[in-house]
Amino acid sequence: MHLDPFELHRPTSVEATVRLAHELHGRFDYLAGGTDLLPNYKMHLNLRPHLIALHDVAELSGHSPTRIGAMERLAAIDEDAAYRTAYPVVGDAVGEIATPLVRASGTVGGNLLVETRCFFFNQSYFWRESLGFCLKADGDKCHVVPQKEVCYATFSGDLAPALMVLGAEVEIAGPTGRRRLPLGDLYDAKGDGIRRLAIAPGELLVAVHLPADAGSWRGRYRKLRVRPSFDFPELGVAVAARFDGARVQGLRIAIGGVEPRPRQFDELTRPLEGGALSDDRVRELAARLERSVRPVHNTFLAPDYRRRMVGVYVRRALADVREVRAG
Amino acid sequence: MASTAPSPYRLLGGRIPYVEGPLKVTGRAEYTDDIKRPGMLVGRLLRSPWPHARLRSIDVREARALPGVFAVLTGERYPTPFGVLPITHDETAIAVGKARYIGDIIAAVAAADERTAEAALARIRVDAEPLPEYLDPRVGLQKVAEPIHARGLAGTNIQKEVVQHFGDVDAAFARAAHTTRVRGVFAGVTHAFTEPLVTVAEATPDGRLTVWSATQVPHYLHRSLSEVLGIPMHRIRVIKPEVGGGFGGKSDPLPHEIVCAALALETGRPVKILVDREDVFYTNHGRHPTQNDVRIATDAEGRILAYDIDALIDGGAWSSFGTVTTYYNGVLAMGPYRVPNFRYKGRRVYTTKPPSGAMRAHGGTNIRYSVEVALDQLAEELGVDPFVLRTRNALPPNSTTVNEFRITSTSFLACLEAARAASGWDATFRKLPYGEGMGLGCGFYISGSNSPIHFTPKMPQSTVHLKVDMDGGIAVHSMQADIGQGSNTLLAAIVAEVLAVDLDRVHVQRVDSDVSPIDLGSYSSRVTFMMGNAARAAAEELKGKLASAAANLLDVAPEELELVPERFRLRADPSRGVSFLEALHRAMEHVGALTATGSYQTRPVGGSFKGARAGTAPAYSFAAYVARVRVDEETGEIAVRKIWAAFDCGRPLNRLAVEGQIEGSIHMGLGQLLGETMSYRGGRLLNPSLLEYKIPMPQQMPEVEILLVGGDDPEGPFGAKEAGEGPLVATLPAVGNALHDAIGVRFHELPITPDRVLRGIDERRKEGRVWKGA
Amino acid sequence: MSSPDRLRFRLNGQPVAVPCEGARILLDLLREDLSLTGTKRGCDLGTCGCCTVLVDGRPTLSCLTLAALMEGRSVDTIEGISPPQGLSPVQRAFVEHGATQCGFCTPGFVVTATALLRDHPHPSREEIVRAISGNLCRCTGYTKIIEAIESAARETV
């Protein structure tokens, strides 16, 4: 399968990249690892005439305990045993992304910004044309929930929930300079499977920053999928907690793989802070989370099953972090 | 037991690395897509976006006018129907008049490069009138407004109906002490070989056509090309390079192969068609979606009195192997047990979906699952151990089934004993905690089809030619198709065994219809048995010629000689002899290179009623598998932890290959059980990709303990029977029955996805039925 | 790209300069333009691993790699990691253990296993399973592939 021709750009600095992005407004995609973009391009999904490859922008690479460059390869994190020990929730998540071969090219920024997915979107041009195109590419209707306004494509990255519960921020560069925002705010709360990001199209994700206290949180990420490799998450649950003796001092839960964006549920976890994380409270929290998500039938597993697994996965992930504390 | 006895043979019975292994591990093995011919064009196929449509007109003028386009073909150019079975030719190379599924080929182009070819496809204007979709085979049982094929039964979409009755089933049920019934529902699954479908064709000015193709059955392709293109077979040369897996999916002559040849004829240039992965899913010919109803009657001790089976089979758009499938879904239930009364009704119905066909353990897999689950259920209802139940019913050796299958060798009882002992069954079954379980599933499969899909039934099913020249190197020719199962290796090993030479003396030649004598290829698990016997016969003939020459040199009678490595010697006086090469050179005097031919033809077996030949085989394989599983009761996830695989393939000739077939079969069986499914929305395949078609990963493979317990088969080469397909069928019911032991739920619908597991657990609990205290 | 016309990189240890447009995929460049057909095309979408090559020593999906990005880098294909005579320890183990059946996935597995044993000469079974979990095999059930890699690891003690 060939790619349609495009013009390939290889800027060498963040500033040059952003400038180029401004000039090419709406007519380009950033190319990072390519493991998500190139399959989509081969399927003729939302092609643009320009690709801006980020491989030569030195500032985007590398990682330290508190910063990961957007172009850092997933394998580099996966192979860093010290990093994974320091942030087990990130280690869990990165180690379960796709396959070793995808992680060898795929990047941290690419996984955070991975295109939302849907059985009716991730198909060839022939397939989509034969059904009638969808809202997210070339068409004007949704085949999952028939209507003309909202796209239900699912956020399918693994890293976002894991980094969110550690309080990560993202560094964004744009034509007017740089800014930082909480990772959760990168995803548009008012958006959908198409309008999914809260940043402007020309802006560039430069790095992810972890706060100084990130290492004091104990976290786990649990991923639901049919096979233990290759598959995108049908559900991803990240939890992080801090304990003061028997009392849970801080508790965060973020969920991906079920809706167009990853979501953190502080409004449900905050009331538990300061108390003991008893089995009853965990059960009640899990049940509330189960009711709070709305998966639709656009992935392999049935939505009612995925929703039911929210409760199971939350309970198990919390049991894991309680055990770590006990240990 | 054969597994512990030392092999009496020098090579056979050992672990023989595949002869082409060094080429494959270095990337030097040549597959069809590796072939590049000077001036080669790219062929691409326009596929139907409609599940069912009348093609009113196809305007190709704009496509043909595009620079770089050499030919555009539509169905009318080569309208001769073809199909793998001579009695059901209902396919055309390119759709004529109607498109019958999403993915059906409606036009083809040859162009200078891929981009031009695709641009040309986009310029073909098709005026089509959508017709009613028929997706549910139940609908097609009645008269329909627009039958998919004119040849459907009396205005319905029924492609084939089989009704068989042996003995008196109603009387057996009337006197039965116990009866049980199950309904199995099976999603379609597909082969998903790693090498996509691909063909290269070239027509040359000498009037000949050469076709290289990834095929399991070069001979049927050869015939189909000749019939559809109207060119005699002697002007067509079919070459089979290495084939990257088939599992039945490359055994039909496929339309893209014929289209590729047609484009080569039209353009006078070499053409390659590489079918991309998505289109491989549409080409399909995989295992049929099936619903089967199985009723079993027994006496009070669980002895089987009768089977009553009804199968409804979703055929997709074409017949393919479907007539055989329709028989197999009944008659392959005849073993490994004695079934004195048998009734079967099978119907295969055309639907407007990608065609189903033959896939590993064709016709025997789904019915085997239902029968074995029903027997497990029966054992439980009767309070009889599942092993005891099977032992009581085992088909004896040298017997005849009620539908007149001739059973010769069977080590089924030895399989049962081996699996029971190795798995620690007696100490474990029903004694594991809730969520863990053990189950038994058994298997039975043909070792080659006795009545092949053959056009001249008096011809042998396999022929092998040998040629040996000055230095004693032996060239072996045969049209058998190595598709990774190791048949080239077996062919070389048999020749080397008989002639007592090292394996590297023997060179199996690439399949090439110009020089390879006919063998019917790789399907129905026929190769070891049939090619093996032919190879043995050829080698014996050559050995006889050499022995005569040696005897002549030594001035003794040939019968006084024995052949040991590199030497003919006197039995009575081993110090007297001549070397292999001396004998060879004497034999070559005045004749030149020595040649020999061996062939194999099954002896006639089976009854004389309509359909009697379906399922007849010169021998059958038998199996007893025990699976150990763990179920996560909260998530419904299944972990298959270990499989004890006791298998009767007669004498295993290459243990490495037999083990590889069993391990690979278990993997493929688990795929169908755990998650592989051709998932449709309407006529549209939802998951035509290796990402969403869930082939199991290495983490999902259980430990496999292989127990080869077969005794020598009287007619198999060196006592061997098949090991390529039979090893799959026992896998599924072993796991299905283990799931019941784990959580008390019977699963009748495949694949058994985690949500189905949870639903099963929920339903059982809702009914208040406790299992193992949970 | 430094030169708009020619892509320069090291291929199997030798410098090469080949014409290459921006949208050219590495797998296509290797197979179609450079006739290195040992690298196989199984799915074209990163879901089978048949096209695995080493890029700067790392196993990489050549079907999802832009050739243009190889400028100045090093690519090794199955042809490059095969010794001029005979077989490498990994290749020998694959042959001896019957880890090839149809062989179409084999070059990808050999490339992956070669890199694994270079970096981790004595991997556990779990590490082997994880390392090969991006390469799909439909024939072997992976059993003999894992055995072959374990055996090759023992041989390199």
Side-chain angles (χ1 to χ4, degrees):
Chain A
M1 291 168 96
H2 64 91
L3 294 172
D4 279 358
F6 48 75
E7 193 174 333
L8 183 66
H9 305 268
R10 301 190 66 172
T12 54
S13 72
V14 167
E15 287 64 36
T17 305
V18 171
R19 220 168 25 244
L20 190 57
H22 187 70
E23 285 166 23
L24 298 173
H25 181 78
R27 292 178 293 134
F28 78 96
D29 273 312
Y30 288 125
L31 174 67
T35 54
D36 185 47
L37 186 80
L38 296 183
N40 287 353
Y41 265 44
K42 285 186 173 182
M43 291 183 165
H44 290 242
L45 286 162
N46 299 328
L47 303 183
R48 306 275 167 78
H50 297 269
L51 279 193
I52 304 178
L54 302 173
H55 301 73
D56 298 340
V57 184
E59 192 189 336
L60 301 180
S61 62
H63 72 275
S64 73
T66 57
R67 176 190 181 277
I68 310 176
M71 281 297 285
E72 186 69 338
R73 294 177 313 106
L74 296 166
I77 306 293
D78 188 44
E79 287 157 11
D80 184 343
Y83 191 94
R84 283 175 29 213
T85 308
Y87 309 113
V89 62
V90 181
D92 288 346
V94 79
E96 296 222 12
I97 294 169
T99 72
L101 291 166
V102 169
R103 295 196 293 269
S105 299
T107 64
V108 169
N111 193 256
L112 291 176
L113 299 175
V114 69
E115 186 58 90
T116 51
R117 299 184 63 83
C118 174
F119 259 16
F120 300 90
F121 170 70
N122 297 97
Q123 301 283 2
S124 69
Y125 191 88
F126 165 78
W127 194 102
R128 292 179 292 117
E129 186 182 34
S130 78
L131 179 66
F133 295 111
C134 83
L135 275 177
K136 192 167 164 62
D138 307 310
D140 63 358
K141 57 176 178 275
C142 177
H143 299 287
V144 182
V145 182
Q147 39 80 37
K148 288 176 179 297
E149 289 82 33
V150 184
C151 170
Y152 286 85
T154 303
F155 178 77
S156 302
D158 290 294
L159 273 180
L163 288 165
M164 279 162 70
V165 296
L166 296 183
E169 291 187 336
V170 285
E171 179 182 344
I172 305 291
T176 57
R178 303 210 183 187
R179 62 189 174 112
R180 279 198 188 193
L181 67 160
L183 172 55
D185 291 351
L186 181 62
Y187 307 101
D188 189 346
K190 298 193 193 72
D192 66 358
I194 298 167
R195 296 161 297 276
R196 58 204 186 85
L197 296 177
I199 55 172
E203 288 187 307
L204 174 70
L205 173 62
V206 175
V208 187
H209 296 272
L210 288 179
D213 75 347
S216 66
W217 292 78
R218 285 287 158 246
R220 278 306 300 272
Y221 177 76
R222 280 179 170 267
K223 174 173 180 171
L224 171 67
R225 52 176 165 174
V226 178
R227 300 180 295 180
S229 68
F230 279 110
D231 298 350
F232 282 93
E234 300 264 350
L235 163 69
V237 172
V239 306
R242 275 200 300 207
F243 291 94
D244 176 12
R247 291 183 310 141
V248 61
Q249 215 179 36
L251 181 64
R252 296 171 185 158
I253 296 180
I255 296 177
V258 282
E259 294 177 342
R261 69 182 174 108
R263 263 208 288 161
Q264 188 166 320
F265 293 86
D266 288 347
E267 68 282 8
L268 296 181
T269 54
R270 215 163 271 143
L272 274 69
E273 290 177 349
L277 207 51
S278 67
D279 289 349
D280 283 349
R281 285 181 165 190
V282 166
R283 245 193 315 275
E284 193 185 325
L285 173 63
R288 281 190 179 185
L289 285 163
E290 206 173 302
R291 290 194 296 273
S292 302
V293 300
R294 282 174 178 63
V296 294
H297 204 170
N298 65 347
T299 63
F300 189 88
L301 292 168
D304 55 344
Y305 174 77
R306 287 157 71 207
R307 178 197 283 255
R308 179 169 172 177
M309 287 306 102
V310 170
V312 176
Y313 275 54
V314 165
R315 274 189 276 117
R316 289 186 174 184
L318 284 173
D320 293 339
V321 295
R322 279 197 297 180
E323 263 169 41
V324 168
R325 180 185 59 89
Chain B
M1 268 187 267
S3 62
T4 49
S7 170
Y9 304 111
R10 219 165 40 85
L11 282 167
L12 298 174
R15 306 172 72 78
I16 313 167
Y18 301 117
V19 290
E20 75 290 350
L23 298 180
K24 286 179 174 171
V25 298
T26 51
R28 301 282 283 274
E30 186 181 61
Y31 298 81
T32 304
D33 191 29
D34 301 337
I35 292 167
K36 200 191 264 186
R37 301 290 302 165
M40 189 165 77
L41 303 174
V42 174
R44 299 289 278 184
L45 305 168
L46 183 69
R47 293 187 180 269
S48 167
W50 308 283
H52 199 190
R54 192 173 321 285
L55 304 172
R56 286 205 202 94
S57 71
I58 302 178
D59 182 349
V60 302
R61 283 170 299 181
E62 214 186 313
R64 195 167 269 152
L66 197 67
V69 171
F70 287 72
V72 184
L73 278 184
T74 54
E76 289 71 22
R77 182 75 180 80
Y78 293 101
T80 306
F82 71 98
V84 66
L85 303 187
I87 48 171
T88 54
H89 280 190
D90 60 4
E91 305 177 35
T92 49
I94 300 177
V96 177
K98 280 217 298 194
R100 294 180 170 88
Y101 68 100
I102 295 176
D104 207 354
I105 300 169
I106 51 181
V109 304
D113 56 52
E114 199 181 336
R115 275 184 192 151
T116 309
E118 285 184 1
L121 292 184
R123 283 165 173 75
I124 297 174
R125 308 273 168 250
V126 183
D127 177 15
E129 172 198 352
L131 297 170
E133 306 178 36
Y134 299 105
L135 306 171
D136 183 341
R138 282 170 297 197
V139 174
L141 291 173
Q142 280 85 44
K143 260 196 195 333
V144 292
E146 174 67 36
I148 298 167
H149 288 275
R151 63 178 300 284
L153 206 64
T156 71
N157 283 328
I158 297 173
Q159 180 251 317
K160 176 69 184 175
E161 183 170 74
V162 171
V163 178
Q164 292 188 325
H165 193 176
F166 304 97
D168 188 339
V169 166
D170 290 328
F173 270 86
R175 70 167 191 277
H178 196 84
T179 66
T180 199
R181 67 188 306 160
V182 301
R183 164 172 287 185
V185 178
F186 302 83
V189 290
T190 198
H191 322 83
F193 32 74
T194 49
E195 179 205 27
L197 300 165
V198 54
T199 302
V200 174
E202 181 170 4
T204 41
D206 56 1
R208 301 206 71 208
L209 172 71
T210 302
V211 177
W212 297 258
S213 197
T215 176
Q216 296 177 230
V217 189
H219 181 61
Y220 294 167
L221 174 60
H222 198 186
R223 286 192 175 256
S224 301
L225 287 167
S226 172
E227 286 167 15
V228 178
L229 301 173
I231 299 174
M233 283 174 75
H234 65 263
R235 281 175 45 207
I236 302 173
R237 180 181 180 195
V238 172
I239 296 173
K240 181 203 77 77
E242 295 293 346
V243 172
F247 315 110
K250 296 170 180 169
S251 55
D252 292 71
L254 293 170
H256 74 272
E257 296 175 301
I258 298 169
V259 171
C260 187
L263 288 171
L265 290 170
E266 294 290 313
T267 61
R269 300 268 296 260
V271 177
K272 178 188 285 183
I273 292 184
L274 173 65
V275 179
D276 73 22
R277 183 53 67 177
E278 178 182 355
D279 289 358
V280 171
F281 278 92
Y282 299 141
T283 308
N284 188 32
H285 291 76
R287 197 177 317 294
H288 291 69
T290 309
Q291 174 182 298
N292 55 38
D293 288 283
V294 175
R295 289 201 308 142
I296 301 180
T298 70
D299 68 14
E301 281 78 47
R303 277 181 208 89
I304 295 164
L305 300 176
Y307 281 180
D308 191 3
I309 295 172
D310 189 311
L312 180 61
I313 302 161
D314 180 347
W318 291 328
S319 286
S320 180
F321 282 89
T323 297
V324 178
T325 315
T326 314
Y327 281 108
Y328 276 8
N329 269 271
V331 299
L332 291 185
M334 291 312 301
Y337 314 111
R338 221 175 65 81
V339 181
N341 299 283
F342 177 79
R343 182 163 59 202
Y344 173 59
K345 181 175 184 185
R347 284 167 297 179
R348 183 180 185 271
V349 184
Y350 289 121
T351 54
T352 50
K353 287 186 287 195
S356 294
M359 178 167 160
R360 196 180 211 169
H362 170 209
T365 303
N366 295 344
I367 187 60
R368 177 60 40 199
Y369 183 84
S370 288
V371 164
E372 294 291 324
V373 168
L375 288 174
D376 205 63
Q377 184 170 301
L378 214 140
E380 193 198 6
E381 288 161 0
L382 288 171
V384 177
D385 179 87
F387 270 94
V388 173
L389 185 89
R390 264 87 169 181
T391 305
R392 276 182 195 155
N393 285 292
L395 203 53
N398 304 312
S399 60
T400 304
T401 65
V402 68
N403 66 336
E404 299 184 54
F405 286 176
R406 182 195 68 149
I407 305 297
T408 51
S409 70
T410 163
S411 299
F412 181 52
L413 286 175
C415 288
L416 286 169
E417 282 164 26
R420 184 176 191 159
S423 65
W425 177 270
D426 294 347
T428 323
F429 178 65
R430 286 287 189 276
K431 299 184 180 80
L432 293 165
Y434 182 84
E436 291 194 47
M438 265 184 136
L440 168 65
C442 296
F444 167 79
Y445 204 68
I446 55 170
S447 187
S449 173
N450 214 80
S451 72
I453 307 156
H454 210 307
F455 305 77
T456 42
K458 286 186 178 160
M459 297 289 281
Q461 287 167 313
S462 180
T463 303
V464 171
H465 284 177
L466 304 179
K467 188 217 78 177
V468 55
D469 218 326
M470 290 294 286
D471 65 340
I474 302 161
V476 186
H477 295 277
S478 171
M479 217 183 276
Q480 59 78 28
D482 194 319
I483 55 172
Q485 82 277 42
S487 60
N488 280 355
T489 306
L490 185 64
L491 185 48
I494 286 175
V495 171
E497 181 76 47
V498 172
L499 293 169
V501 296
D502 286 346
L503 204 53
D504 66 0
R505 278 269 188 104
V506 185
H507 307 291
V508 177
Q509 304 300 301
R510 183 170 71 164
V511 171
D512 176 340
S513 64
D514 273 4
V515 290
S516 309
I518 291 169
D519 170 286
L520 300 179
S522 288
Y523 68 97
S524 81
S525 250
R526 56 176 294 286
V527 181
T528 291
F529 205 97
M530 300 186 183
M531 175 210 77
N533 273 321
R536 185 178 195 171
E540 292 287 358
E541 184 188 312
L542 187 63
K543 183 178 161 184
K545 290 184 178 180
L546 291 169
S548 295
N552 180 268
L553 280 168
L554 292 164
D555 202 16
V556 296
E559 299 74 42
E560 293 177 67
L561 296 177
E562 64 179 359
L563 176 59
V564 296
E566 298 298 330
R567 196 168 167 80
F568 283 93
R569 66 186 187 192
L570 252 72
R571 271 183 239 278
D573 177 7
S575 68
R576 271 191 74 205
V578 295
S579 75
F580 184 86
L581 278 184
E582 285 172 305
L584 172 65
H585 293 159
R586 167 56 62 96
M588 287 173 68
E589 282 174 21
H590 312 298
V591 292
L594 283 195
T595 58
T597 295
S599 64
Y600 174 77
Q601 187 175 10
T602 49
R603 52 180 76 176
V605 296
S608 53
F609 52 91
K610 181 171 160 48
R613 293 185 309 164
T616 56
Y620 296 88
S621 70
F622 296 85
Y625 284 14
V626 171
R628 173 97 186 246
V629 304
R630 180 185 284 159
V631 178
D632 185 323
E633 62 175 301
E634 281 192 319
T635 65
E637 287 167 311
I638 297 167
V640 181
R641 300 175 59 205
K642 180 156 183 179
I643 289 182
W644 290 266
F647 195 73
D648 167 18
C649 60
R651 174 182 297 277
L653 298 185
N654 181 359
R655 285 177 181 270
L656 210 57
V658 169
E659 289 170 8
Q661 289 301 307
I662 294 175
E663 289 154 358
S665 289
I666 288 173
H667 175 255
M668 193 171 274
L670 289 180
Q672 181 178 359
L673 199 95
L674 297 176
E676 288 182 30
T677 172
M678 297 281 275
S679 177
Y680 290 94
R681 172 158 163 170
R684 197 164 279 94
L685 191 59
L686 271 177
N687 58 341
S689 71
L690 292 176
L691 180 63
E692 297 299 345
Y693 185 81
K694 307 292 187 183
I695 294 171
M697 296 313 303
Q699 294 93 328
Q700 294 166 279
M701 261 308 272
E703 184 189 341
V704 175
E705 186 173 331
I706 294 170
L707 308 155
L708 300 178
V709 298
D712 279 350
D713 182 84
E715 296 171 22
F718 304 91
K721 301 189 285 191
E722 74 94 22
E725 304 189 57
L728 188 146
V729 296
T731 311
L732 292 86
V735 175
N737 290 335
L739 290 173
H740 177 260
D741 185 38
I743 56 174
V745 179
R746 297 247 175 241
F747 293 97
H748 300 296
E749 193 169 349
L750 264 50
I752 309 172
T753 48
D755 50 332
R756 284 181 177 156
V757 174
L758 281 193
R759 206 175 309 140
I761 291 174
D762 286 351
E763 279 166 15
R764 186 171 178 115
R765 286 185 178 155
K766 217 173 287 166
E767 293 161 12
R769 293 157 64 216
V770 175
W771 183 257
K772 291 182 175 177
Chain C
M1 216 184 309
S2 55
S3 154
D5 302 314
R6 297 233 155 215
L7 167 69
R8 290 164 210 280
F9 64 109
R10 286 188 86 76
L11 178 58
N12 294 330
Q14 294 289 333
V16 290
V18 288
C20 178
E21 62 166 284
R24 194 74 170 150
I25 290 282
L26 178 58
L27 173 64
D28 298 345
L29 182 87
L30 294 171
R31 284 186 59 85
E32 314 301 334
D33 302 352
L34 299 171
S35 295
L36 290 171
T37 52
T39 304
K40 299 302 178 200
R41 185 192 305 278
C43 74
D44 254 335
L45 293 169
T47 57
C48 74
C50 293
C51 69
T52 306
V53 298
L54 298 180
V55 174
D56 293 341
R58 283 193 288 265
T60 301
L61 293 161
S62 63
C63 76
L64 297 187
T65 300
L66 283 191
L69 298 178
M70 295 301 101
E71 179 75 29
R73 302 178 72 177
S74 162
V75 175
D76 293 286
T77 66
I78 184 71
E79 290 88 350
I81 67 168
S82 302
Q85 285 89 33
L87 303 175
S88 74
V90 169
Q91 290 169 330
R92 203 158 47 238
F94 269 62
V95 171
E96 283 168 5
H97 288 264
T100 65
Q101 280 188 32
C102 84
F104 199 76
C105 70
T106 305
F109 272 97
V110 168
V111 169
T112 295
T114 301
L116 170 72
L117 295 183
R118 179 200 60 208
D119 297 340
H120 306 278
H122 305 291
S124 67
R125 191 181 175 88
E126 287 65 37
E127 286 168 330
I128 294 171
V129 163
R130 189 164 191 258
I132 63 170
S133 65
N135 295 82
L136 209 60
C137 173
R138 188 55 158 170
C139 294
T140 63
Y142 307 100
T143 313
K144 299 222 180 298
I145 292 173
I146 295 167
E147 284 170 13
I149 298 172
E150 284 177 328
S151 159
R154 278 195 301 275
E155 203 179 304
T156 57
V157 168

